[in-house]
């Protein structure tokens, strides 16, 4: 059994002015909201969920992006309601949110 049931990484990368990056798309606010929502749901910690910051995940064209392991499900999102849905459906109930998944062809 893995140490965490689900391990999330949010890209918070900031690029030079004029370049696309997750930091310019609300990534920090989404990360903060996700941390709080996971904690409020009682999912945080060993055997549960860990939410971590990450640098560029090299899928910037779909930003902001986050990935959930061990399933390797990639998400993009626009607001706190999207994050809440990921927490409730995927992290709590084990059902990945299809409508928020990043298309496999999206790269940098
Ligand atoms: S800046 Fe977020 S994936 Fe590259």
């Amino acid at each position: 059994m893995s140490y965490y049931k689900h391990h999330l990484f949010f890209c918070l990368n900031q690029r030079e002015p004029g370049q696309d990056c997750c930091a310019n798309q609300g990534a920090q606010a989404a990360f903060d909201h996700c941390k709080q929502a996971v904690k409020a749901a009682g999912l945080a910690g060993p055997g549960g969920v860990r939410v971590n910051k990450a640098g560029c995940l090299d899928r910037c064209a779909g930003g902001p992006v986050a990935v959930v392991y061990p399933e390797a499900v990639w998400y993009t999102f626009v607001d706190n309601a999207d994050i809440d849905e990921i927490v409730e459906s995927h992290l709590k109930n084990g059902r990945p949110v299809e409508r928020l998944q990043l298309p496999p062809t999206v790269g940098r």
Side-chain angles (χ1 to χ4, degrees), residues 10-15 20-23 27 54-65 74 107-108:
F10 278 74
C11 170
L12 301 185
N13 191 47
Q14 178 74 64
R15 290 192 187 284
D20 283 342
C21 64
C22 294
C56 180
L57 298 171
D58 217 22
R59 302 196 72 186
C60 327
V65 301
W74 289 80
R108 186 165 180 174

Side-chain angles (χ1 to χ4, degrees), residues 84-107:
D84 289 341
E85 190 173 344
I86 292 168
V87 172
E88 177 71 19
S89 179
H90 189 159
L91 305 181
K92 190 171 176 187
N93 296 316
R95 292 192 306 269
V97 183
E98 215 149 297
R99 74 176 186 90
L100 298 175
Q101 288 182 36
L102 199 59
T105 52
V106 173

